[in-house]
Amino acid sequence: MGKIIAIANQKGGVGKTTTSVNLAASLGVLEKKVLLIDADPQANATSGLGVDVDAVEYGTYQVLEHTISAKEAIVETSSPNVSIIPAHIDLVAIEIELVDKQDREYMLKKTLGDLKDEFDYILIDCAPSLGLITLNSLVAADSVIIPIQCEYFALEGLGKLLNTIKSVQNIHNSELDIEGLLLTMFDSRLRLSNQVVDEVRKHFSSMVFDTIIRRNTRLGEAPSYGESIIDYDATSKGAVNYLNLAQELLNKNS
């Protein structure tokens, strides 16, 4: 039985897509079968794994609309053991289209049931908002990873996200767990980065992953080549960080 993990934070630029793509690739290299679902209309996870966004015929939009099954939307990637349900800019429209649908929060959950047995991990790259697509992702997920960048406003908005998770737990998905808070964009030379790490660990102790994702130029370059950091430069700090994160996740779930 696979585990569904949403990667969510309504703040933009915290490393959600970077984490989704590279955690998926790292789990793949560690011989786990992974499906990445791109639930962000910007479709960066799709292009980040080398899939041509303009050529996407079926993706998350059609899956949420229930015009096709999730299985039919799966595309293979060049990353070992990693498949993707791609996104396209048309995903923007789904928020409006689902509004008056019955069970609108359960559209993704309903379609993923058949796939759980086929993958070890299903990762969902959420949009930087707390709209209906993210709500669908949280309702469908078993747990959520929250990336937090090591910068001044790191904890701002975190309370709002945790409240959303709490209300999802209360109303739609009592099984939803917080897999962990992931510190990203860490720069050891900056006192602020170190302060944020101390602050987050003090407030959330056991909820925080031991692995910290450091700032790394190679990590920023990889998406422009349509590759994960593992394919782009397996020896870089970024690759080592994400492989450590994948291993930590596996140990936690073993």
Side-chain angles (χ1 to χ4, degrees):
M1 193 70 154
K3 183 168 195 180
I4 302 177
I5 302 176
I7 294 160
N9 190 331
Q10 78 274 26
K11 270 174 78 78
V14 297
K16 274 189 302 293
T17 301
T18 303
T19 296
S20 303
V21 167
N22 295 310
L23 178 56
S26 301
L27 288 165
V29 167
L30 296 172
E31 299 185 343
K32 296 295 170 191
K33 201 166 178 233
V34 186
L35 174 64
L36 176 58
I37 299 172
D38 193 346
D40 182 351
Q42 293 174 73
N44 291 338
T46 301
S47 58
L49 278 175
V51 176
D52 180 0
V53 175
D54 296 327
V56 170
E57 209 173 326
Y58 300 121
T60 315
Y61 174 77
Q62 287 78 11
V63 171
L64 282 167
E65 239 196 355
H66 287 191
T67 45
I68 61 165
S69 70
K71 203 169 189 171
E72 291 171 286
I74 293 174
V75 175
E76 296 307 317
T77 75
S78 56
S79 227
N81 298 320
V82 179
S83 311
I84 188 168
I85 294 181
H88 186 272
I89 189 65
D90 61 8
L91 186 55
V92 167
I94 204 76
E95 297 267 344
I96 299 151
E97 288 175 31
L98 288 183
V99 160
D100 50 4
K101 288 253 169 71
Q102 202 180 353
D103 290 342
R104 59 180 183 262
E105 299 92 351
Y106 297 90
M107 293 302 194
L108 190 58
K109 187 183 178 79
K110 284 177 182 170
T111 190
L112 289 183
D114 309 340
L115 286 179
K116 271 189 107 169
D117 294 335
E118 295 189 29
F119 293 92
D120 298 308
Y121 286 93
I122 297 175
L123 304 181
I124 309 173
D125 182 30
C126 296
S129 77
L130 293 177
L132 255 181
I133 308 177
T134 300
L135 189 55
N136 261 275
S137 304
L138 294 174
V139 171
D142 298 309
S143 66
V144 55
I145 289 175
I146 304 170
I148 299 174
Q149 86 280 41
C150 296
E151 283 169 11
Y152 185 65
F153 292 116
L155 296 174
E156 197 182 68
L158 185 59
K160 202 184 250 181
L161 178 61
L162 293 173
N163 284 339
T164 301
I165 290 169
K166 201 166 276 175
S167 68
V168 170
Q169 287 166 331
N170 291 337
I171 303 165
H172 305 293
N173 181 2
S174 58
E175 308 289 298
L176 183 64
D177 267 333
I178 293 178
E179 192 71 48
L181 306 181
L182 175 68
L183 292 156
T184 62
M185 304 180 192
F186 175 75
D187 187 338
S188 56
R189 296 165 304 179
L190 300 179
R191 188 191 300 170
L192 180 63
S193 271
N194 292 295
Q195 281 172 345
V196 171
V197 171
D198 293 344
E199 189 84 355
V200 172
R201 288 206 193 282
K202 190 173 83 188
H203 284 294
F204 298 101
S205 57
S206 62
M207 285 166 67
V208 187
F209 282 106
D210 293 335
T211 306
I212 294 177
I213 308 300
R214 294 170 177 274
R215 266 196 195 283
N216 180 243
T217 320
R218 309 295 275 169
L219 214 43
E221 291 168 1
S224 60
Y225 292 90
E227 289 181 344
S228 72
I229 189 65
I230 309 297
D231 294 323
Y232 181 65
D233 184 353
T235 60
S236 66
K237 266 188 196 152
V240 172
N241 288 166
Y242 276 109
L243 282 165
N244 288 342
L245 176 65
Q247 194 57 63
E248 190 176 343
L249 185 68
L250 294 180
N251 295 344
K252 205 173 172 186
N253 287 286
S254 59

